[in-house]
mmCIF file of all heavy atoms in Angstrom:
data_model
loop_
_atom_site.group_PDB
_atom_site.id
_atom_site.type_symbol
_atom_site.label_atom_id
_atom_site.label_comp_id
_atom_site.label_asym_id
_atom_site.label_seq_id
_atom_site.Cartn_x
_atom_site.Cartn_y
_atom_site.Cartn_z
ATOM 1 N N PRO A 1 155.138 119.976 116.456
ATOM 2 C CA PRO A 1 155.919 119.362 115.361
ATOM 3 C C PRO A 1 155.202 118.183 114.731
ATOM 4 O O PRO A 1 155.346 117.934 113.522
ATOM 5 C CB PRO A 1 157.224 118.947 116.031
ATOM 6 C CG PRO A 1 156.936 118.908 117.484
ATOM 7 C CD PRO A 1 155.882 119.929 117.728
ATOM 8 N N GLY A 2 154.424 117.434 115.528
ATOM 9 C CA GLY A 2 153.681 116.315 114.976
ATOM 10 C C GLY A 2 152.625 116.764 113.985
ATOM 11 O O GLY A 2 152.464 116.164 112.912
ATOM 12 N N TRP A 3 151.895 117.809 114.328
ATOM 13 C CA TRP A 3 150.858 118.329 113.428
ATOM 14 C C TRP A 3 151.492 118.875 112.147
ATOM 15 O O TRP A 3 150.961 118.650 111.054
ATOM 16 C CB TRP A 3 150.061 119.414 114.127
ATOM 17 C CG TRP A 3 148.914 119.935 113.321
ATOM 18 C CD1 TRP A 3 148.853 121.108 112.639
ATOM 19 C CD2 TRP A 3 147.654 119.279 113.116
ATOM 20 N NE1 TRP A 3 147.648 121.246 112.011
ATOM 21 C CE2 TRP A 3 146.879 120.136 112.290
ATOM 22 C CE3 TRP A 3 147.104 118.074 113.540
ATOM 23 C CZ2 TRP A 3 145.581 119.798 111.889
ATOM 24 C CZ3 TRP A 3 145.815 117.737 113.142
ATOM 25 C CH2 TRP A 3 145.073 118.595 112.326
ATOM 26 N N GLN A 4 152.589 119.567 112.268
ATOM 27 C CA GLN A 4 153.276 120.094 111.094
ATOM 28 C C GLN A 4 153.734 118.962 110.175
ATOM 29 O O GLN A 4 153.539 119.023 108.958
ATOM 30 C CB GLN A 4 154.481 120.943 111.518
ATOM 31 C CG GLN A 4 155.226 121.567 110.347
ATOM 32 C CD GLN A 4 156.367 122.454 110.810
ATOM 33 O OE1 GLN A 4 156.491 122.795 111.987
ATOM 34 N NE2 GLN A 4 157.224 122.841 109.871
ATOM 35 N N TRP A 5 154.334 117.926 110.764
ATOM 36 C CA TRP A 5 154.786 116.773 109.979
ATOM 37 C C TRP A 5 153.617 116.083 109.289
ATOM 38 O O TRP A 5 153.681 115.763 108.092
ATOM 39 C CB TRP A 5 155.517 115.795 110.896
ATOM 40 C CG TRP A 5 155.737 114.447 110.299
ATOM 41 C CD1 TRP A 5 156.734 114.080 109.443
ATOM 42 C CD2 TRP A 5 154.924 113.282 110.480
ATOM 43 N NE1 TRP A 5 156.595 112.759 109.078
ATOM 44 C CE2 TRP A 5 155.493 112.242 109.709
ATOM 45 C CE3 TRP A 5 153.779 113.006 111.230
ATOM 46 C CZ2 TRP A 5 154.950 110.960 109.663
ATOM 47 C CZ3 TRP A 5 153.232 111.727 111.182
ATOM 48 C CH2 TRP A 5 153.816 110.730 110.408
ATOM 49 N N LYS A 6 152.540 115.835 110.031
ATOM 50 C CA LYS A 6 151.363 115.163 109.482
ATOM 51 C C LYS A 6 150.756 115.959 108.330
ATOM 52 O O LYS A 6 150.426 115.397 107.277
ATOM 53 C CB LYS A 6 150.313 114.971 110.584
ATOM 54 C CG LYS A 6 149.053 114.261 110.128
ATOM 55 C CD LYS A 6 147.878 114.543 111.042
ATOM 56 C CE LYS A 6 147.302 115.921 110.807
ATOM 57 N NZ LYS A 6 146.563 116.015 109.502
ATOM 58 N N THR A 7 150.670 117.272 108.509
ATOM 59 C CA THR A 7 150.048 118.122 107.494
ATOM 60 C C THR A 7 150.916 118.224 106.247
ATOM 61 O O THR A 7 150.422 118.079 105.116
ATOM 62 C CB THR A 7 149.788 119.513 108.082
ATOM 63 O OG1 THR A 7 148.966 119.399 109.256
ATOM 64 C CG2 THR A 7 149.099 120.407 107.061
ATOM 65 N N GLU A 8 152.199 118.447 106.443
ATOM 66 C CA GLU A 8 153.100 118.598 105.301
ATOM 67 C C GLU A 8 153.222 117.325 104.477
ATOM 68 O O GLU A 8 153.444 117.385 103.259
ATOM 69 C CB GLU A 8 154.484 119.035 105.783
ATOM 70 C CG GLU A 8 154.525 120.459 106.317
ATOM 71 C CD GLU A 8 155.894 120.843 106.827
ATOM 72 O OE1 GLU A 8 156.785 119.948 106.889
ATOM 73 O OE2 GLU A 8 156.082 122.031 107.177
ATOM 74 N N ASN A 9 153.054 116.172 105.123
ATOM 75 C CA ASN A 9 153.222 114.888 104.431
ATOM 76 C C ASN A 9 151.908 114.169 104.152
ATOM 77 O O ASN A 9 151.915 113.039 103.661
ATOM 78 C CB ASN A 9 154.135 113.982 105.256
ATOM 79 C CG ASN A 9 155.546 114.514 105.358
ATOM 80 O OD1 ASN A 9 156.350 114.378 104.434
ATOM 81 N ND2 ASN A 9 155.863 115.145 106.489
ATOM 82 N N ASN A 10 150.795 114.845 104.465
ATOM 83 C CA ASN A 10 149.460 114.300 104.177
ATOM 84 C C ASN A 10 149.295 112.898 104.759
ATOM 85 O O ASN A 10 148.869 111.955 104.081
ATOM 86 C CB ASN A 10 149.207 114.283 102.670
ATOM 87 C CG ASN A 10 147.742 114.070 102.337
ATOM 88 O OD1 ASN A 10 146.859 114.445 103.109
ATOM 89 N ND2 ASN A 10 147.482 113.460 101.185
ATOM 90 N N ILE A 11 149.623 112.748 106.026
ATOM 91 C CA ILE A 11 149.554 111.454 106.703
ATOM 92 C C ILE A 11 148.153 111.226 107.251
ATOM 93 O O ILE A 11 147.598 112.093 107.940
ATOM 94 C CB ILE A 11 150.577 111.389 107.852
ATOM 95 C CG1 ILE A 11 151.995 111.662 107.334
ATOM 96 C CG2 ILE A 11 150.494 110.050 108.572
ATOM 97 C CD1 ILE A 11 152.506 110.638 106.348
ATOM 98 N N SER A 12 147.573 110.062 106.954
ATOM 99 C CA SER A 12 146.214 109.787 107.422
ATOM 100 C C SER A 12 146.010 108.337 107.865
ATOM 101 O O SER A 12 144.889 107.942 108.156
ATOM 102 C CB SER A 12 145.199 110.123 106.320
ATOM 103 O OG SER A 12 145.455 109.340 105.161
ATOM 104 N N HIS A 13 147.088 107.551 107.914
ATOM 105 C CA HIS A 13 146.982 106.146 108.309
ATOM 106 C C HIS A 13 148.385 105.595 108.507
ATOM 107 O O HIS A 13 149.364 106.205 108.078
ATOM 108 C CB HIS A 13 146.234 105.332 107.244
ATOM 109 C CG HIS A 13 146.827 105.450 105.870
ATOM 110 N ND1 HIS A 13 147.951 104.744 105.461
ATOM 111 C CD2 HIS A 13 146.454 106.204 104.798
ATOM 112 C CE1 HIS A 13 148.245 105.036 104.220
ATOM 113 N NE2 HIS A 13 147.357 105.933 103.784
ATOM 114 N N PRO A 14 148.519 104.432 109.143
ATOM 115 C CA PRO A 14 149.839 103.836 109.319
ATOM 116 C C PRO A 14 150.536 103.566 107.997
ATOM 117 O O PRO A 14 149.889 103.399 106.955
ATOM 118 C CB PRO A 14 149.532 102.529 110.073
ATOM 119 C CG PRO A 14 148.269 102.810 110.808
ATOM 120 C CD PRO A 14 147.477 103.683 109.880
ATOM 121 N N ASP A 15 151.836 103.500 108.046
ATOM 122 C CA ASP A 15 152.656 103.408 106.843
ATOM 123 C C ASP A 15 152.322 102.195 105.990
ATOM 124 O O ASP A 15 152.376 102.270 104.766
ATOM 125 C CB ASP A 15 154.137 103.362 107.248
ATOM 126 C CG ASP A 15 155.072 103.476 106.061
ATOM 127 O OD1 ASP A 15 154.791 104.294 105.165
ATOM 128 O OD2 ASP A 15 156.079 102.754 106.036
ATOM 129 N N HIS A 16 151.963 101.079 106.602
ATOM 130 C CA HIS A 16 151.755 99.835 105.865
ATOM 131 C C HIS A 16 150.285 99.557 105.562
ATOM 132 O O HIS A 16 149.955 98.454 105.129
ATOM 133 C CB HIS A 16 152.357 98.666 106.652
ATOM 134 C CG HIS A 16 153.803 98.861 106.985
ATOM 135 N ND1 HIS A 16 154.793 98.833 106.027
ATOM 136 C CD2 HIS A 16 154.429 99.116 108.149
ATOM 137 C CE1 HIS A 16 155.972 99.037 106.602
ATOM 138 N NE2 HIS A 16 155.769 99.222 107.896
ATOM 139 N N TRP A 17 149.425 100.553 105.776
ATOM 140 C CA TRP A 17 148.000 100.390 105.495
ATOM 141 C C TRP A 17 147.643 101.006 104.151
ATOM 142 O O TRP A 17 148.245 101.994 103.714
ATOM 143 C CB TRP A 17 147.156 101.068 106.569
ATOM 144 C CG TRP A 17 147.128 100.372 107.892
ATOM 145 C CD1 TRP A 17 148.089 99.580 108.446
ATOM 146 C CD2 TRP A 17 146.076 100.451 108.850
ATOM 147 N NE1 TRP A 17 147.718 99.163 109.688
ATOM 148 C CE2 TRP A 17 146.482 99.676 109.973
ATOM 149 C CE3 TRP A 17 144.851 101.099 108.891
ATOM 150 C CZ2 TRP A 17 145.686 99.531 111.113
ATOM 151 C CZ3 TRP A 17 144.054 100.969 110.025
ATOM 152 C CH2 TRP A 17 144.471 100.182 111.112
ATOM 153 N N ALA A 18 146.632 100.438 103.507
ATOM 154 C CA ALA A 18 146.091 100.992 102.267
ATOM 155 C C ALA A 18 144.601 100.674 102.224
ATOM 156 O O ALA A 18 144.115 99.815 102.967
ATOM 157 C CB ALA A 18 146.803 100.413 101.050
ATOM 158 N N GLN A 19 143.871 101.373 101.340
ATOM 159 C CA GLN A 19 142.431 101.153 101.186
ATOM 160 C C GLN A 19 142.099 100.741 99.764
ATOM 161 O O GLN A 19 142.703 101.246 98.799
ATOM 162 C CB GLN A 19 141.648 102.420 101.524
ATOM 163 C CG GLN A 19 141.280 102.570 102.990
ATOM 164 C CD GLN A 19 140.371 103.766 103.225
ATOM 165 O OE1 GLN A 19 140.641 104.861 102.738
ATOM 166 N NE2 GLN A 19 139.304 103.558 103.968
ATOM 167 N N ASN A 20 141.122 99.841 99.628
ATOM 168 C CA ASN A 20 140.651 99.495 98.288
ATOM 169 C C ASN A 20 139.510 100.432 97.881
ATOM 170 O O ASN A 20 139.189 101.380 98.607
ATOM 171 C CB ASN A 20 140.225 98.022 98.226
ATOM 172 C CG ASN A 20 139.078 97.704 99.194
ATOM 173 O OD1 ASN A 20 138.307 98.581 99.598
ATOM 174 N ND2 ASN A 20 138.957 96.427 99.552
ATOM 175 N N LYS A 21 138.893 100.144 96.740
ATOM 176 C CA LYS A 21 137.845 101.023 96.222
ATOM 177 C C LYS A 21 136.591 101.025 97.094
ATOM 178 O O LYS A 21 135.764 101.935 96.993
ATOM 179 C CB LYS A 21 137.493 100.615 94.795
ATOM 180 C CG LYS A 21 138.626 100.858 93.794
ATOM 181 C CD LYS A 21 138.227 100.447 92.393
ATOM 182 C CE LYS A 21 139.361 100.700 91.402
ATOM 183 N NZ LYS A 21 138.996 100.281 90.019
ATOM 184 N N LEU A 22 136.469 100.021 97.945
ATOM 185 C CA LEU A 22 135.325 99.955 98.860
ATOM 186 C C LEU A 22 135.662 100.568 100.212
ATOM 187 O O LEU A 22 134.906 100.437 101.164
ATOM 188 C CB LEU A 22 134.888 98.501 99.039
ATOM 189 C CG LEU A 22 134.406 97.784 97.782
ATOM 190 C CD1 LEU A 22 134.073 96.322 98.093
ATOM 191 C CD2 LEU A 22 133.204 98.490 97.171
ATOM 192 N N HIS A 23 136.838 101.221 100.292
ATOM 193 C CA HIS A 23 137.315 101.875 101.510
ATOM 194 C C HIS A 23 137.601 100.870 102.631
ATOM 195 O O HIS A 23 137.509 101.213 103.815
ATOM 196 C CB HIS A 23 136.316 102.936 101.996
ATOM 197 C CG HIS A 23 136.023 103.980 100.965
ATOM 198 N ND1 HIS A 23 136.955 104.906 100.558
ATOM 199 C CD2 HIS A 23 134.900 104.213 100.229
ATOM 200 C CE1 HIS A 23 136.420 105.685 99.623
ATOM 201 N NE2 HIS A 23 135.181 105.285 99.404
ATOM 202 N N GLN A 24 137.916 99.642 102.252
ATOM 203 C CA GLN A 24 138.310 98.626 103.217
ATOM 204 C C GLN A 24 139.834 98.653 103.372
ATOM 205 O O GLN A 24 140.563 98.740 102.382
ATOM 206 C CB GLN A 24 137.857 97.239 102.740
ATOM 207 C CG GLN A 24 136.351 97.109 102.621
ATOM 208 C CD GLN A 24 135.948 95.881 101.821
ATOM 209 O OE1 GLN A 24 136.631 95.482 100.879
ATOM 210 N NE2 GLN A 24 134.823 95.272 102.196
ATOM 211 N N TRP A 25 140.278 98.556 104.617
ATOM 212 C CA TRP A 25 141.711 98.628 104.883
ATOM 213 C C TRP A 25 142.371 97.260 104.723
ATOM 214 O O TRP A 25 141.794 96.232 105.053
ATOM 215 C CB TRP A 25 141.959 99.130 106.309
ATOM 216 C CG TRP A 25 141.591 100.566 106.516
ATOM 217 C CD1 TRP A 25 140.469 101.041 107.125
ATOM 218 C CD2 TRP A 25 142.338 101.703 106.097
ATOM 219 N NE1 TRP A 25 140.468 102.413 107.117
ATOM 220 C CE2 TRP A 25 141.609 102.856 106.496
ATOM 221 C CE3 TRP A 25 143.552 101.873 105.436
ATOM 222 C CZ2 TRP A 25 142.052 104.145 106.254
ATOM 223 C CZ3 TRP A 25 144.003 103.163 105.191
ATOM 224 C CH2 TRP A 25 143.257 104.275 105.594
ATOM 225 N N TYR A 26 143.588 97.275 104.191
ATOM 226 C CA TYR A 26 144.412 96.073 104.108
ATOM 227 C C TYR A 26 145.865 96.480 104.322
ATOM 228 O O TYR A 26 146.210 97.666 104.303
ATOM 229 C CB TYR A 26 144.234 95.362 102.765
ATOM 230 C CG TYR A 26 144.632 96.184 101.549
ATOM 231 C CD1 TYR A 26 145.921 96.100 101.014
ATOM 232 C CD2 TYR A 26 143.714 97.037 100.937
ATOM 233 C CE1 TYR A 26 146.284 96.851 99.901
ATOM 234 C CE2 TYR A 26 144.065 97.793 99.825
ATOM 235 C CZ TYR A 26 145.357 97.689 99.315
ATOM 236 O OH TYR A 26 145.719 98.444 98.219
ATOM 237 N N GLY A 27 146.719 95.491 104.566
ATOM 238 C CA GLY A 27 148.127 95.762 104.795
ATOM 239 C C GLY A 27 148.974 95.462 103.575
ATOM 240 O O GLY A 27 148.563 94.727 102.668
ATOM 241 N N LEU A 28 150.170 96.039 103.555
ATOM 242 C CA LEU A 28 151.139 95.795 102.490
ATOM 243 C C LEU A 28 152.478 95.435 103.107
ATOM 244 O O LEU A 28 152.945 96.098 104.034
ATOM 245 C CB LEU A 28 151.305 97.049 101.608
ATOM 246 C CG LEU A 28 150.133 97.428 100.701
ATOM 247 C CD1 LEU A 28 150.364 98.797 100.090
ATOM 248 C CD2 LEU A 28 149.962 96.384 99.602
ATOM 249 N N ASN A 29 153.099 94.378 102.597
ATOM 250 C CA ASN A 29 154.462 94.043 103.005
ATOM 251 C C ASN A 29 155.243 93.531 101.804
ATOM 252 O O ASN A 29 154.797 93.700 100.655
ATOM 253 C CB ASN A 29 154.460 93.030 104.162
ATOM 254 C CG ASN A 29 153.817 91.704 103.792
ATOM 255 O OD1 ASN A 29 153.666 91.366 102.614
ATOM 256 N ND2 ASN A 29 153.432 90.937 104.800
ATOM 257 N N HIS A 30 156.395 92.902 102.039
ATOM 258 C CA HIS A 30 157.245 92.482 100.930
ATOM 259 C C HIS A 30 156.608 91.384 100.077
ATOM 260 O O HIS A 30 157.046 91.137 98.954
ATOM 261 C CB HIS A 30 158.598 92.001 101.467
ATOM 262 C CG HIS A 30 158.486 90.872 102.435
ATOM 263 N ND1 HIS A 30 158.126 91.059 103.754
ATOM 264 C CD2 HIS A 30 158.674 89.540 102.287
ATOM 265 C CE1 HIS A 30 158.103 89.894 104.369
ATOM 266 N NE2 HIS A 30 158.432 88.955 103.512
ATOM 267 N N ASP A 31 155.565 90.741 100.593
ATOM 268 C CA ASP A 31 154.859 89.722 99.817
ATOM 269 C C ASP A 31 153.645 90.285 99.092
ATOM 270 O O ASP A 31 152.988 89.570 98.342
ATOM 271 C CB ASP A 31 154.402 88.584 100.737
ATOM 272 C CG ASP A 31 155.570 87.766 101.263
ATOM 273 O OD1 ASP A 31 156.526 87.550 100.498
ATOM 274 O OD2 ASP A 31 155.524 87.363 102.441
ATOM 275 N N GLY A 32 153.335 91.555 99.306
ATOM 276 C CA GLY A 32 152.176 92.168 98.678
ATOM 277 C C GLY A 32 151.085 92.474 99.681
ATOM 278 O O GLY A 32 151.343 92.729 100.854
ATOM 279 N N ALA A 33 149.836 92.431 99.227
ATOM 280 C CA ALA A 33 148.695 92.766 100.077
ATOM 281 C C ALA A 33 148.369 91.615 101.023
ATOM 282 O O ALA A 33 148.531 90.446 100.688
ATOM 283 C CB ALA A 33 147.483 93.091 99.217
ATOM 284 N N TYR A 34 147.906 91.956 102.231
ATOM 285 C CA TYR A 34 147.488 90.937 103.190
ATOM 286 C C TYR A 34 146.352 91.496 104.040
ATOM 287 O O TYR A 34 146.155 92.713 104.139
ATOM 288 C CB TYR A 34 148.644 90.479 104.070
ATOM 289 C CG TYR A 34 149.191 91.536 105.012
ATOM 290 C CD1 TYR A 34 148.718 91.657 106.318
ATOM 291 C CD2 TYR A 34 150.183 92.414 104.589
ATOM 292 C CE1 TYR A 34 149.221 92.618 107.181
ATOM 293 C CE2 TYR A 34 150.696 93.388 105.444
ATOM 294 C CZ TYR A 34 150.213 93.480 106.729
ATOM 295 O OH TYR A 34 150.707 94.443 107.576
ATOM 296 N N THR A 35 145.589 90.598 104.652
ATOM 297 C CA THR A 35 144.462 90.982 105.487
ATOM 298 C C THR A 35 144.953 91.465 106.846
ATOM 299 O O THR A 35 145.759 90.793 107.496
ATOM 300 C CB THR A 35 143.508 89.792 105.687
ATOM 301 O OG1 THR A 35 143.024 89.364 104.407
ATOM 302 C CG2 THR A 35 142.325 90.180 106.569
ATOM 303 N N LEU A 36 144.492 92.604 107.274
ATOM 304 C CA LEU A 36 144.819 93.123 108.597
ATOM 305 C C LEU A 36 143.966 92.413 109.644
ATOM 306 O O LEU A 36 142.735 92.386 109.538
ATOM 307 C CB LEU A 36 144.556 94.627 108.666
ATOM 308 C CG LEU A 36 145.513 95.528 107.883
ATOM 309 C CD1 LEU A 36 144.942 96.951 107.825
ATOM 310 C CD2 LEU A 36 146.888 95.532 108.534
ATOM 311 N N GLN A 37 144.616 91.831 110.628
ATOM 312 C CA GLN A 37 143.904 91.185 111.724
ATOM 313 C C GLN A 37 143.683 92.189 112.850
ATOM 314 O O GLN A 37 144.607 92.879 113.259
ATOM 315 C CB GLN A 37 144.705 89.987 112.231
ATOM 316 C CG GLN A 37 144.964 88.936 111.180
ATOM 317 C CD GLN A 37 143.685 88.282 110.672
ATOM 318 O OE1 GLN A 37 142.706 88.139 111.418
ATOM 319 N NE2 GLN A 37 143.683 87.895 109.405
ATOM 320 N N GLY A 38 142.477 92.243 113.358
ATOM 321 C CA GLY A 38 142.138 93.254 114.349
ATOM 322 C C GLY A 38 142.953 93.181 115.624
ATOM 323 O O GLY A 38 143.294 94.209 116.220
ATOM 324 N N ASN A 39 143.294 91.963 116.053
ATOM 325 C CA ASN A 39 143.992 91.818 117.342
ATOM 326 C C ASN A 39 145.502 91.765 117.194
ATOM 327 O O ASN A 39 146.211 91.503 118.165
ATOM 328 C CB ASN A 39 143.501 90.570 118.075
ATOM 329 C CG ASN A 39 143.760 89.289 117.288
ATOM 330 O OD1 ASN A 39 144.226 89.347 116.151
ATOM 331 N ND2 ASN A 39 143.435 88.151 117.874
ATOM 332 N N THR A 40 146.017 92.032 116.009
ATOM 333 C CA THR A 40 147.460 92.068 115.783
ATOM 334 C C THR A 40 147.996 93.451 116.129
ATOM 335 O O THR A 40 147.373 94.465 115.788
ATOM 336 C CB THR A 40 147.786 91.750 114.315
ATOM 337 O OG1 THR A 40 147.335 90.428 114.019
ATOM 338 C CG2 THR A 40 149.289 91.840 114.048
ATOM 339 N N PRO A 41 149.149 93.551 116.804
ATOM 340 C CA PRO A 41 149.699 94.873 117.129
ATOM 341 C C PRO A 41 149.889 95.737 115.889
ATOM 342 O O PRO A 41 150.412 95.279 114.874
ATOM 343 C CB PRO A 41 151.041 94.538 117.789
ATOM 344 C CG PRO A 41 150.823 93.202 118.416
ATOM 345 C CD PRO A 41 149.944 92.469 117.437
ATOM 346 N N VAL A 42 149.447 96.970 115.979
ATOM 347 C CA VAL A 42 149.613 97.901 114.867
ATOM 348 C C VAL A 42 151.086 98.282 114.726
ATOM 349 O O VAL A 42 151.818 98.353 115.715
ATOM 350 C CB VAL A 42 148.744 99.166 115.071
ATOM 351 C CG1 VAL A 42 149.180 99.963 116.286
ATOM 352 C CG2 VAL A 42 148.729 100.037 113.811
ATOM 353 N N HIS A 43 151.533 98.486 113.474
ATOM 354 C CA HIS A 43 152.889 98.977 113.255
ATOM 355 C C HIS A 43 152.873 99.916 112.055
ATOM 356 O O HIS A 43 151.846 100.122 111.422
ATOM 357 C CB HIS A 43 153.881 97.831 113.055
ATOM 358 C CG HIS A 43 153.714 97.087 111.773
ATOM 359 N ND1 HIS A 43 152.805 96.068 111.635
ATOM 360 C CD2 HIS A 43 154.341 97.202 110.584
ATOM 361 C CE1 HIS A 43 152.874 95.579 110.419
ATOM 362 N NE2 HIS A 43 153.793 96.255 109.749
ATOM 363 N N GLY A 44 154.020 100.521 111.790
ATOM 364 C CA GLY A 44 154.089 101.533 110.747
ATOM 365 C C GLY A 44 153.768 102.926 111.254
ATOM 366 O O GLY A 44 153.339 103.789 110.490
ATOM 367 N N LEU A 45 154.007 103.154 112.550
ATOM 368 C CA LEU A 45 153.690 104.443 113.164
ATOM 369 C C LEU A 45 154.953 105.251 113.434
ATOM 370 O O LEU A 45 155.975 104.697 113.847
ATOM 371 C CB LEU A 45 152.963 104.246 114.495
ATOM 372 C CG LEU A 45 151.666 103.454 114.490
ATOM 373 C CD1 LEU A 45 151.087 103.415 115.904
ATOM 374 C CD2 LEU A 45 150.652 104.050 113.513
ATOM 375 N N SER A 46 154.847 106.546 113.259
ATOM 376 C CA SER A 46 155.871 107.462 113.734
ATOM 377 C C SER A 46 155.656 107.725 115.222
ATOM 378 O O SER A 46 154.603 107.400 115.779
ATOM 379 C CB SER A 46 155.791 108.790 112.974
ATOM 380 O OG SER A 46 154.580 109.471 113.314
ATOM 381 N N TYR A 47 156.653 108.338 115.849
ATOM 382 C CA TYR A 47 156.482 108.760 117.241
ATOM 383 C C TYR A 47 155.304 109.728 117.349
ATOM 384 O O TYR A 47 154.531 109.664 118.315
ATOM 385 C CB TYR A 47 157.756 109.432 117.746
ATOM 386 C CG TYR A 47 157.607 110.050 119.116
ATOM 387 C CD1 TYR A 47 157.760 109.276 120.269
ATOM 388 C CD2 TYR A 47 157.285 111.401 119.266
ATOM 389 C CE1 TYR A 47 157.589 109.836 121.529
ATOM 390 C CE2 TYR A 47 157.117 111.965 120.516
ATOM 391 C CZ TYR A 47 157.275 111.175 121.644
ATOM 392 O OH TYR A 47 157.107 111.736 122.890
#
């Protein structure tokens, strides 16, 4: 079921992650874009 969900919804990263034109990852929240800290717990994941 996980593979089916991922494929049908084209999931390739956590919900709150995005990439810029240089393929660098950053986060998004209610304040807008923010820098992802490496040692911060990841969130935005499905089971």
Side-chain angles (χ1 to χ4, degrees):
W3 184 257
Q4 182 177 348
W5 166 82
K6 181 201 76 72
T7 303
E8 290 178 353
N9 294 281
N10 195 29
I11 303 296
S12 60
H13 55 79
D15 189 41
H16 305 290
W17 287 28
Q19 272 186 312
N20 61 23
K21 293 180 180 179
L22 298 177
H23 303 291
Q24 297 165 326
W25 291 102
Y26 61 93
L28 290 170
N29 62 19
H30 58 281
D31 291 322
Y34 66 93
T35 300
L36 289 168
Q37 300 296 328
N39 61 355
T40 298
V42 64
H43 70 276
L45 302 182
S46 68
Y47 173 84

